[in-house]
Amino acid sequence: MFEIKERDGLARIGEFETEHGTVETPAIMPVVNPNKMTVSPRRMKETFGAQILITNSYVIYQTEELRKKALEEGLHSLLDFDFPIMTDSGTFQAHVYGDVDVDHQEIIGFQKRMDSDVSTILDEFTEPDDEREVAEEKVRKTMERARYAVEEYEDEKGHIALPVQGSVFPELRERAGKEMKRFEGVYPIGGVVPLLENYRFSDLVNIILSSKKGLGAKGPVHLFGAGHPMVYPLAVLLGVDLFDSSSYIKYARRGDLMYPDGTKKLREIEHFGCHCPTCMEHEPAELREMEEGERTELMAEHNLWVCFNEIEKVKQAVKEESVWEMAERRCRSHPHLLSGIKEVYDHWRYLERFEPRSRHGAVLYTGRGTLKRPLIRRFKEWVMEEYEPLFEAPTILFDAEEVNKPYNRSLRDELSRLEEAGANILFSTPLGPVPLELDETYPVPQSVFLDERKGKERKKELERYKEMKDLSEMVRYDDLDTLDEFSGNAGMCLDDMRVKTIADYQFGKGAGELFVQGKTEYVKNRKGRIKNVMLDGKHVLSLRHYDGLFTLKMAGAMILKEELEPPRMRVTVTEDSAEFNSQGKNVFCKFVIDADENIRPGDEVLVVDEYDNLVAAGRAFLNSQEMSDLKRGIAVRIREGRDDWSKKD
Amino acid sequence: MFEIKERDGLARIGEFETEHGTVETPAIMPVVNPNKMTVSPRRMKETFGAQILITNSYVIYQTEELRKKALEEGLHSLLDFDFPIMTDSGTFQAHVYGDVDVDHQEIIGFQKRMDSDVSTILDEFTEPDDEREVAEEKVRKTMERARYAVEEYEDEKGHIALPVQGSVFPELRERAGKEMKRFEGVYPIGGVVPLLENYRFSDLVNIILSSKKGLGAKGPVHLFGAGHPMVYPLAVLLGVDLFDSSSYIKYARRGDLMYPDGTKKLREIEHFGCHCPTCMEHEPAELREMEEGERTELMAEHNLWVCFNEIEKVKQAVKEESVWEMAERRCRSHPHLLSGIKEVYDHWRYLERFEPRSRHGAVLYTGRGTLKRPLIRRFKEWVMEEYEPLFEAPTILFDAEEVNKPYNRSLRDELSRLEEAGANILFSTPLGPVPLELDETYPVPQSVFLDERKGKERKKELERYKEMKDLSEMVRYDDLDTLDEFSGNAGMCLDDMRVKTIADYQFGKGAGELFVQGKTEYVKNRKGRIKNVMLDGKHVLSLRHYDGLFTLKMAGAMILKEELEPPRMRVTVTEDSAEFNSQGKNVFCKFVIDADENIRPGDEVLVVDEYDNLVAAGRAFLNSQEMSDLKRGIAVRIREGRDDWSKKD
């Protein structure tokens, strides 16, 4: 029912299948009030491109005429909308008015009977200031109702929405998520409206992430009640798939226009700065003088345009793998959003599991936060903690600010002398200390930074590096008088150093030396850059131009499989799947038995059968958790199948 | 010919008058190629709302047929555009091709003869890597040609554009600006295209600001060749009024779509994320498959929509006085733009002269740069260097993070005890240390900050404060055991302290005590907040609710005039003007003889005649430099005229 088609970290473009059609996520579900449709469902679809709507089953249930019609003709006929429709259950009404006049069995049954595509259980709305015990009790009740709904309707058509509650308690949210994950459904994150209303974005981030930790890769995940476009990029960054919005109409009624970076009052606007049809066809003053009903409708349409447009932008960002940039920029719209993204960085260890080692585009620095992105921190941490300088000689230091990238080409002459002498070369960069061997590897040459580090910070980083690597000496190149002291250290050429270091970074400790032990030869391009690594005459690795990381060839995969203990780099598949994969066909989630938890999306992997026989080499699209949580879609894109694999090896 | 209508610091909405109509600035002048009009001038106006175009007189001059027609029928008939048209002179062609085939007398004369609204002299394009001497010589030549053009055509209709050149040398730019300022005209800042192309935004900022320093408040200022919307907010922030753009078509030809935050390649786009007519009516794939001419036209139109839309947004920001926020946010789009805004902060002393003491909206923190805005730095500096604590008793410190704003209301009980004891109260805030007396004054309660200061920074600030104020002791309220040590210090109540401090901050040293020396009474609102200050029975000041600063009443103005030596707070006007101003009519620039250079836009001022007789009290719209540089428009908005003023006092 839910499948990830494209991704950027936790952000994803997904396909959510329903009885009335497939929804491409992230998607907005505009709220339609069955009693008063300011913008008709048909118009929502045809003009604004809405793929799915949401309406309130409790309102229908309470209005005799609507209820009758809904039960007789079905929800889709009632709303005159032949596309997916989700229904809410009255939970929010209970939150606002204290109680609702229906029990949970009745309302879920009603939704089912009128043929809702996504029926929501009557969950218990946890308030941000609920005591822990109260919140726990509400989660327990919600769980009970979820179980009832799932068991009662498991054989029927249509999805059930199973909200994750838990107030602002991260462990409770995570636990609630973990419990809901056992059922198939749609997973709203509930109880967040009061946080959104009070701009408590740091709490919001915490809640989304703890719910996601519980839910794993399951989806679609719905941020219930989030209707303002200013939160979309942040929420999508964290893996939210669905938004609903009645804000478009609520804001319009009180004279407010939504923009991606905030809200403006119509009465204060002289220039719209927007080219949606409302703003193109009317002047602000004209709108102000209009009769209220007409004005509200036009403003609601402006708000819808802005919402749908912003979702398009986020989707384009997922496609370009630039959601981090987009979210970081948008979060500058309000100090409280900024505190939201700061909260995100604090969760980097979790987020890192979903982060590729490289992206299509450059890393564009948007501020100091950029340095706290999981991809960057992982890189910095690896250099600081895992990287092994190859020589015991002093390390020569260059200041990256004074050298064009890639460093090795700007410093060709200097480096050839140093290489001969066998020195370690280090660059002090905004990404921290970077050894020469990684100067063509993502994100080093692909990052555009503004170096805002203070002198003290740089010094501290370098001192830490010196300590971590147990270096006897670190000399600035400019302070270097002679190369004499290095004599006798040489032994490994820069090419070897580079291959060893990149392979260690990419495939893990010990992988690098496997490729430089034998007779290594390099095929280079015209600029002298390594293209292919040949070991004992076999093509084992190709160095990708765009990110300076390796593509694994079958011969290389064989070596890694032989030398690295399971489960390293492995994705274990069923025998049936192996048959296909050995012929070069992709690995699908449902055939994955197990996978190395250190695999990151985009990583080169070894596809093996249950007996650890190599089946194919490929590139992971998902990490191990995702491979296990998802029922559909590609897990590994196979590059090379092993045609001599056979069922019984 | 140029008048400032609305403003936000150096940013301004202006009116630029020409023979073919008035242009509201900031404005974009789309470049029209007379040989190939992808978007017709008529469509530029009717569809995109262009108020003014720019075309190249050298191209017309060189094309026999066009030249003939232009001379016979005039430029406006040639382009079929009855609105203002500016012409360029061939300078850029000389920059690109090394030389042009016309001399400067000929080309300026040609422009004049075909009735251009703004004729540009053939200036010498200074390159960013010109040697200082080369750049100086070019500036000298440009100046000579400017003088020729102005003298030759001073009695004729139409403006002359007088470019400020000077490569990347700030003093040279400033000097060039100062020389051009002597002539009336349009003031392009030239030679910036190579900087724009290479994203050298820090140099660009430096050049704009040094040119502006030379030009003073003169306008309109045109950033020659700046066509990408990503630079508009930054440039408008610095006082640029006109942009020209051929980028819309150049980008379209090479398959690029402009966005406010950068450029995207059509081939990489799956979701436009834009609702301009091009993007609303076509899918990216559809556009890609189109015949080239049609695609280019549609893409050029998208680019125009985005440019015009962004200018609308900047104008709205000027209106809302939120250009700083907008520029700071937009500059997160690219690390090099970020280095541009950082350069802006370095010029805060200059920018501060144009900054009001309060704005309509809140100060929304967008990052650490926000703390470097001139308004904030002035406030911080005043507290640190000018503010005088009233008591010699220890200072009690509160942490603003733990107190809601306004502080005095959240801490009512604590404060009444402290007030009785006569203690100085200080808050440690993201704006630095803030004394209680200023807790309702802009920007303290109107700022929404994320406190990113480190503990060390806070401590340092407080230590500096302690040192500056020569405080014997500073005690955290939480650490306070008893109030005994304060006994006997009391004497001035919080209300008096507040009035004295705010008046000192707003009107300058010594002003405050004038209002609390006599018999002071306060009229308060229901919440206990001061509304009016009565001194010896007279209403002297009103405390504005929205910014916690004073509005000066006539009785208060009389006191300040008597006690503060000229030129403090004065705007001196001619006798003719005084006659009008004493009747409550506004002061216009051309009648201003002199003004206190400490006056900032928005300040309360004393309007006096040449004999220093008080004529009226009002609010400055301009600072003293602007009052002297501009020929048109309001200098001071009079609030209260002095009806007993008479010509001979």
Side-chain angles (χ1 to χ4, degrees):
Chain A
M1 54 163 277
F2 181 71
E3 182 180 341
I4 301 178
K5 303 301 277 186
E6 298 193 61
R7 69 176 308 160
D8 181 19
L10 269 182
R12 52 203 192 178
I13 290 178
E15 265 180 20
F16 168 45
E17 224 172 73
T18 78
E19 288 291 318
H20 288 83
T22 299
V23 176
E24 188 181 78
T25 64
I28 311 167
M29 306 185 282
V31 173
V32 170
N33 179 344
N35 277 309
K36 193 181 175 190
M37 303 185 198
T38 308
V39 181
S40 74
R42 188 180 287 268
R43 191 163 160 77
M44 286 286 185
K45 172 180 164 268
E46 286 168 7
T47 306
F48 296 94
Q51 306 172 64
I52 177 169
L53 299 181
I54 183 167
T55 191
N56 195 303
S57 69
Y58 180 64
V59 170
I60 300 175
Y61 181 82
Q62 281 204 309
T63 315
E64 178 130 1
E65 193 192 347
L66 294 174
R67 174 164 53 180
K68 212 172 140 224
K69 197 169 172 202
L71 288 174
E72 278 167 14
E73 303 174 12
L75 181 62
H76 294 78
S77 160
L78 180 75
L79 297 190
D80 184 26
F81 187 73
D82 203 21
F83 277 67
I85 303 175
M86 175 171 177
T87 42
D88 191 0
S89 58
T91 300
F92 195 72
Q93 281 69 18
H95 155 70
V96 175
Y97 305 110
D99 205 0
V100 282
D101 204 15
V102 69
D103 63 27
H104 77 94
Q105 295 94 336
E106 176 68 13
I107 196 72
I108 188 80
F110 176 67
Q111 293 172 72
K112 281 289 174 185
R113 283 196 297 283
M114 67 180 177
D115 199 21
S116 169
D117 292 288
V118 184
S119 306
T120 307
I121 63 165
L122 185 69
D123 57 325
E124 292 266 322
F125 194 100
T126 49
E127 306 285 344
D129 50 5
D130 274 348
E131 298 283 332
R132 171 80 191 215
E133 295 70 35
V134 173
E136 275 190 21
E137 177 56 20
K138 286 181 176 175
V139 167
R140 200 192 53 72
K141 257 195 188 165
T142 298
M143 200 54 218
E144 225 174 71
R145 295 173 181 183
R147 197 173 304 113
Y148 165 82
V150 171
E151 283 168 9
E152 189 73 17
Y153 298 99
E154 68 191 335
D155 300 327
E156 294 192 17
K157 289 186 301 182
H159 302 289
I160 296 177
L162 306 160
V164 175
Q165 291 286 356
S167 180
V168 293
F169 305 106
E171 325 80 57
L172 191 53
R173 288 272 178 186
E174 184 171 344
R175 202 211 304 159
K178 206 168 273 169
E179 290 187 20
M180 286 303 181
K181 180 183 171 178
R182 292 185 292 138
F183 306 130
E184 284 304 306
V186 169
Y187 310 94
I189 299 176
V192 298
V193 168
L195 300 173
L196 288 162
E197 282 171 350
N198 294 300
Y199 277 36
R200 289 174 58 180
F201 296 117
S202 156
D203 287 323
L204 181 73
V205 164
N206 213 321
I207 282 173
I208 295 175
L209 280 175
S210 35
S211 305
K212 286 286 292 187
K213 280 179 198 167
L215 289 169
K218 290 279 187 172
V221 173
H222 168 204
L223 193 62
F224 226 133
H228 199 299
M230 72 194 287
V231 305
Y232 296 169
L234 184 61
V236 170
L237 176 75
L238 305 179
V240 168
D241 308 296
L242 293 173
F243 298 89
D244 63 286
S245 177
S246 57
S247 311
Y248 75 96
I249 179 73
K250 278 190 208 151
Y251 278 62
R253 283 208 189 101
R254 62 176 192 236
D256 285 345
L257 293 166
M258 291 168 145
Y259 286 88
D261 54 359
T263 309
K264 288 186 196 294
K265 304 226 151 289
L266 175 62
R267 68 176 142 79
E268 287 167 5
I269 292 187
E270 192 159 306
H271 308 276
F272 279 133
C274 172
H275 35 221
C276 81
T278 292
C279 298
M280 291 277 275
E281 284 156 29
H282 306 276
E283 288 297 317
E286 203 183 320
L287 222 57
R288 280 192 283 267
E289 280 154 28
M290 246 172 218
E291 175 268 320
E292 200 189 329
E294 194 185 354
R295 176 175 63 237
T296 301
E297 189 179 329
L298 282 165
M299 288 177 69
E301 296 209 343
H302 160 93
N303 290 341
L304 281 171
W305 283 119
V306 169
C307 290
F308 279 100
N309 199 49
E310 188 66 1
I311 278 288
E312 287 234 316
K313 280 190 187 146
V314 188
K315 278 165 122 172
Q316 176 65 23
V318 176
K319 219 190 122 60
E320 288 172 4
E321 301 187 318
S322 62
V323 180
W324 278 99
E325 265 97 7
M326 183 177 185
E328 283 176 356
R329 284 177 200 162
R330 283 282 195 265
C331 282
R332 300 280 168 179
S333 306
H334 196 282
H336 294 331
L337 268 175
L338 198 53
S339 73
I341 192 101
K342 288 192 90 153
E343 179 70 26
V344 174
Y345 302 130
D346 288 346
H347 294 263
W348 80 275
R349 285 255 173 232
Y350 172 69
L351 295 164
E352 184 274 323
R353 301 186 210 159
F354 303 88
E355 287 279 294
R357 265 169 238 278
S358 78
R359 286 189 154 84
H360 287 317
V363 178
L364 292 180
Y365 180 84
T366 74
R368 285 186 157 250
T370 303
L371 288 169
K372 298 184 184 165
R373 286 189 203 160
L375 184 151
I376 306 280
R377 289 187 77 159
R378 175 174 58 204
F379 178 85
K380 288 178 72 170
E381 190 174 87
W382 189 87
V383 171
M384 198 58 90
E385 292 175 14
E386 304 290 330
Y387 165 73
E388 292 170 6
L390 298 179
F391 306 112
E392 284 180 15
T395 292
I396 309 296
L397 189 68
F398 288 88
D399 197 332
E401 277 199 336
E402 292 154 19
V403 187
N404 285 329
K405 295 192 271 193
Y407 307 135
N408 72 76
R409 259 176 271 166
S410 311
L411 298 172
R412 195 181 298 267
D413 295 343
E414 290 88 338
L415 291 183
S416 74
R417 288 169 57 222
L418 292 170
E419 187 186 350
E420 216 167 282
N424 295 307
I425 318 285
L426 192 70
F427 295 88
S428 168
T429 83
L431 290 166
V434 171
L436 175 64
E437 298 95 299
L438 290 175
D439 87 323
E440 294 193 344
T441 295
Y442 200 92
V444 181
Q446 296 85 356
S447 59
V448 187
F449 272 65
L450 179 68
D451 200 343
E452 299 189 280
R453 293 174 306 157
K454 298 202 174 107
K456 223 187 274 178
E457 270 173 275
R458 297 184 198 207
K459 217 177 134 191
K460 227 165 132 184
E461 274 178 350
L462 289 170
E463 270 163 19
R464 174 133 190 270
Y465 182 87
K466 202 175 151 192
E467 199 187 304
M468 292 294 292
K469 307 303 173 203
D470 204 11
L471 298 180
S472 57
E473 221 180 323
M474 197 146 73
V475 192
R476 289 192 177 274
Y477 181 76
D478 294 339
D479 299 341
L480 196 67
D481 292 327
T482 162
L483 287 173
D484 285 353
E485 41 189 322
F486 298 96
S487 58
N489 282 306
M492 213 179 213
C493 67
L494 178 57
D495 290 335
D496 289 350
M497 285 157 63
R498 200 181 277 286
V499 169
K500 178 181 177 300
T501 301
I502 297 173
D504 270 347
Y505 172 58
Q506 196 177 348
F507 307 133
K509 215 182 183 77
E513 59 184 22
L514 302 175
F515 295 104
V516 292
Q517 280 173 339
K519 188 173 163 289
T520 311
E521 288 169 298
Y522 302 108
V523 180
K524 298 193 172 186
N525 71 8
R526 268 175 304 164
K527 286 184 178 162
R529 200 176 154 168
I530 298 172
K531 270 172 62 184
N532 300 332
V533 180
M534 314 292 292
L535 184 66
D536 300 328
K538 284 183 195 152
H539 181 182
V540 286
L541 300 168
S542 301
L543 193 60
R544 294 194 293 256
H545 187 264
Y546 74 91
D547 66 359
L549 290 166
F550 288 122
T551 288
L552 199 52
K553 306 302 291 182
M554 185 51 77
M558 295 286 281
I559 292 172
L560 288 170
K561 211 282 290 182
E562 285 312 312
E563 300 293 331
L564 304 182
E565 289 294 308
R568 281 184 64 180
M569 293 185 71
R570 266 83 161 174
V571 174
T572 311
V573 298
T574 62
E575 222 172 62
D576 287 354
S577 175
E579 183 95 45
F580 282 96
N581 307 141
S582 68
Q583 293 160 30
K585 289 175 186 149
N586 293 335
V587 177
F588 285 84
C589 290
K590 62 178 161 190
F591 303 109
V592 173
I593 295 169
D594 202 5
D596 179 1
E597 64 175 26
N598 291 312
I599 293 171
R600 299 291 174 261
D603 273 1
E604 299 291 305
V605 294
L606 311 170
V607 177
V608 297
D609 64 19
E610 285 178 84
Y611 309 100
D612 203 39
N613 293 312
L614 188 65
V615 174
R619 198 166 183 187
F621 177 64
L622 305 175
N623 73 12
S624 63
Q625 188 189 9
E626 293 167 328
M627 291 183 198
S628 118
D629 285 348
L630 293 171
K631 301 238 150 106
R632 287 206 183 177
I634 292 172
V636 179
R637 297 207 165 95
I638 298 300
R639 187 176 302 107
E640 237 180 303
R642 196 177 149 207
D643 45 21
D644 57 345
W645 177 86
S646 67
K647 262 192 181 180
K648 270 152 209 156
D649 213 357
Chain B
M1 55 164 277
F2 181 71
E3 181 179 342
I4 301 179
K5 304 301 276 186
E6 297 194 63
R7 70 175 309 162
D8 182 19
L10 270 180
R12 53 204 191 178
I13 290 178
E15 265 181 21
F16 169 46
E17 223 172 74
T18 78
E19 288 290 319
H20 288 83
T22 300
V23 176
E24 188 181 79
T25 64
I28 311 167
M29 306 186 283
V31 173
V32 170
N33 179 344
N35 278 310
K36 193 182 175 188
M37 302 187 199
T38 309
V39 181
S40 73
R42 189 180 288 268
R43 190 164 161 76
M44 285 287 187
K45 173 179 163 268
E46 286 168 7
T47 305
F48 296 95
Q51 306 172 65
I52 176 168
L53 298 181
I54 183 167
T55 191
N56 194 303
S57 70
Y58 180 65
V59 171
I60 299 174
Y61 182 82
Q62 281 204 310
T63 315
E64 178 127 4
E65 193 191 347
L66 293 175
R67 172 164 55 180
K68 213 172 141 224
K69 196 168 173 204
L71 289 175
E72 278 168 14
E73 303 173 13
L75 180 61
H76 294 79
S77 160
L78 180 74
L79 297 190
D80 184 25
F81 187 73
D82 203 22
F83 277 67
I85 302 175
M86 174 170 178
T87 42
D88 190 1
S89 60
T91 299
F92 195 73
Q93 281 69 16
H95 154 71
V96 176
Y97 305 110
D99 205 3
V100 282
D101 203 17
V102 69
D103 64 26
H104 77 94
Q105 296 93 336
E106 177 68 13
I107 197 71
I108 187 80
F110 176 67
Q111 293 173 72
K112 281 289 176 186
R113 285 197 297 283
M114 66 178 178
D115 199 19
S116 169
D117 292 287
V118 185
S119 307
T120 306
I121 63 166
L122 185 69
D123 56 326
E124 292 265 323
F125 194 100
T126 49
E127 306 286 345
D129 50 6
D130 274 349
E131 297 282 330
R132 170 81 192 215
E133 296 69 38
V134 174
E136 275 190 19
E137 177 57 19
K138 286 181 177 176
V139 167
R140 200 193 53 71
K141 257 194 188 166
T142 297
M143 198 55 218
E144 227 174 71
R145 295 173 182 183
R147 196 174 303 112
Y148 165 83
V150 171
E151 283 168 8
E152 190 73 17
Y153 298 100
E154 71 192 332
D155 300 327
E156 295 193 15
K157 289 186 301 182
H159 302 288
I160 297 177
L162 307 160
V164 175
Q165 292 286 356
S167 181
V168 293
F169 305 106
E171 327 79 57
L172 191 53
R173 288 274 177 183
E174 184 171 346
R175 202 210 304 157
K178 207 169 271 167
E179 290 186 21
M180 286 304 181
K181 179 183 172 179
R182 293 183 294 139
F183 307 130
E184 285 303 306
V186 168
Y187 309 94
I189 299 177
V192 298
V193 168
L195 300 175
L196 288 163
E197 281 171 351
N198 294 301
Y199 277 37
R200 290 173 58 180
F201 296 118
S202 155
D203 287 323
L204 180 73
V205 164
N206 212 322
I207 282 173
I208 295 176
L209 279 175
S210 37
S211 305
K212 286 286 291 188
K213 280 178 198 168
L215 290 168
K218 291 280 190 172
V221 173
H222 168 202
L223 193 62
F224 226 132
H228 199 298
M230 72 194 287
V231 305
Y232 296 169
L234 184 60
V236 170
L237 177 76
L238 305 178
V240 168
D241 308 297
L242 293 172
F243 299 89
D244 64 285
S245 177
S246 57
S247 310
Y248 75 97
I249 178 74
K250 279 191 207 151
Y251 278 62
R253 281 209 192 102
R254 62 178 192 235
D256 286 344
L257 293 166
M258 291 168 146
Y259 286 88
D261 54 0
T263 309
K264 288 186 196 294
K265 305 227 150 288
L266 175 62
R267 68 176 141 80
E268 287 167 5
I269 291 187
E270 191 159 306
H271 307 277
F272 279 133
C274 172
H275 34 223
C276 80
T278 292
C279 298
M280 292 275 276
E281 284 155 30
H282 306 278
E283 288 297 317
E286 202 184 319
L287 223 56
R288 280 191 283 267
E289 280 154 28
M290 244 172 218
E291 177 268 320
E292 198 188 330
E294 193 185 353
R295 177 175 62 239
T296 302
E297 190 180 329
L298 282 165
M299 287 177 68
E301 296 209 343
H302 160 93
N303 291 340
L304 282 171
W305 283 120
V306 169
C307 290
F308 279 100
N309 199 48
E310 188 67 0
I311 279 289
E312 286 234 316
K313 280 192 187 146
V314 188
K315 278 166 124 173
Q316 176 65 23
V318 176
K319 219 190 123 59
E320 288 171 5
E321 301 187 318
S322 62
V323 181
W324 278 100
E325 265 98 8
M326 184 177 184
E328 283 176 354
R329 284 178 201 162
R330 283 283 195 266
C331 282
R332 301 280 170 177
S333 306
H334 197 282
H336 295 330
L337 268 175
L338 198 54
S339 74
I341 192 102
K342 289 192 90 152
E343 180 69 26
V344 174
Y345 301 130
D346 289 345
H347 294 263
W348 81 275
R349 286 254 173 235
Y350 171 69
L351 295 164
E352 185 275 323
R353 301 186 210 160
F354 304 88
E355 286 280 295
R357 265 170 239 277
S358 78
R359 286 188 154 86
H360 286 316
V363 178
L364 291 181
Y365 180 84
T366 73
R368 284 187 156 250
T370 303
L371 288 169
K372 299 182 185 165
R373 286 189 203 160
L375 185 152
I376 306 281
R377 288 187 77 158
R378 176 175 57 204
F379 178 84
K380 288 179 72 169
E381 190 174 89
W382 190 86
V383 171
M384 198 58 91
E385 292 175 12
E386 304 291 329
Y387 165 72
E388 293 170 6
L390 298 180
F391 306 112
E392 286 179 15
T395 292
I396 309 296
L397 189 67
F398 288 88
D399 197 332
E401 278 199 336
E402 293 154 20
V403 187
N404 285 329
K405 293 192 269 192
Y407 308 135
N408 73 75
R409 260 178 269 166
S410 311
L411 298 172
R412 195 182 297 268
D413 295 342
E414 291 87 339
L415 292 182
S416 74
R417 286 170 57 220
L418 292 169
E419 186 186 350
E420 216 167 281
N424 295 307
I425 318 286
L426 193 70
F427 294 88
S428 168
T429 84
L431 290 165
V434 172
L436 175 63
E437 298 94 299
L438 290 175
D439 86 325
E440 295 193 345
T441 296
Y442 200 92
V444 181
Q446 296 85 354
S447 59
V448 187
F449 272 65
L450 179 66
D451 199 343
E452 299 190 280
R453 293 175 306 158
K454 298 203 175 106
K456 223 187 273 176
E457 269 173 276
R458 298 183 198 207
K459 216 178 134 191
K460 227 165 133 183
E461 274 179 351
L462 289 170
E463 268 163 20
R464 175 137 189 268
Y465 182 88
K466 202 175 151 192
E467 199 188 303
M468 292 295 291
K469 307 305 173 203
D470 204 11
L471 296 181
S472 57
E473 221 180 322
M474 198 147 71
V475 193
R476 289 191 178 275
Y477 181 74
D478 294 339
D479 299 340
L480 197 67
D481 292 326
T482 161
L483 287 171
D484 285 354
E485 42 188 323
F486 298 96
S487 58
N489 281 305
M492 213 177 213
C493 65
L494 177 58
D495 290 336
D496 288 352
M497 286 157 63
R498 200 181 276 285
V499 169
K500 178 181 177 300
T501 302
I502 296 173
D504 271 348
Y505 172 59
Q506 195 178 349
F507 307 133
K509 216 182 182 75
E513 59 184 23
L514 303 175
F515 296 104
V516 290
Q517 280 173 340
K519 187 171 164 291
T520 311
E521 287 169 299
Y522 302 109
V523 180
K524 298 193 171 184
N525 71 6
R526 269 175 301 164
K527 286 185 177 163
R529 202 176 152 165
I530 298 172
K531 273 171 61 183
N532 299 332
V533 180
M534 315 291 293
L535 184 66
D536 299 329
K538 284 182 194 152
H539 182 182
V540 287
L541 300 168
S542 301
L543 192 61
R544 294 194 292 256
H545 187 263
Y546 74 90
D547 66 359
L549 290 165
F550 288 122
T551 288
L552 200 51
K553 306 301 292 182
M554 185 51 78
M558 294 286 282
I559 293 172
L560 289 169
K561 212 283 289 182
E562 285 312 312
E563 300 293 333
L564 304 181
E565 289 293 308
R568 282 184 64 181
M569 293 185 70
R570 267 81 162 176
V571 174
T572 311
V573 298
T574 62
E575 224 174 58
D576 287 354
S577 174
E579 183 94 46
F580 282 96
N581 308 141
S582 67
Q583 293 158 31
K585 288 175 187 150
N586 292 335
V587 176
F588 284 84
C589 290
K590 62 178 161 191
F591 303 110
V592 173
I593 296 169
D594 203 4
D596 179 1
E597 64 175 27
N598 291 311
I599 292 170
R600 300 290 175 261
D603 273 1
E604 299 291 305
V605 295
L606 310 170
V607 177
V608 297
D609 64 19
E610 285 178 85
Y611 309 100
D612 202 40
N613 294 311
L614 187 66
V615 175
R619 197 165 183 188
F621 177 64
L622 305 175
N623 74 12
S624 63
Q625 187 190 10
E626 293 167 329
M627 291 183 197
S628 119
D629 285 349
L630 293 171
K631 300 241 149 104
R632 287 208 183 175
I634 292 171
V636 180
R637 297 209 165 95
I638 297 301
R639 187 175 303 106
E640 237 180 304
R642 194 176 151 208
D643 45 21
D644 58 344
W645 176 86
S646 68
K647 263 192 177 178
K648 269 151 207 152
D649 214 356

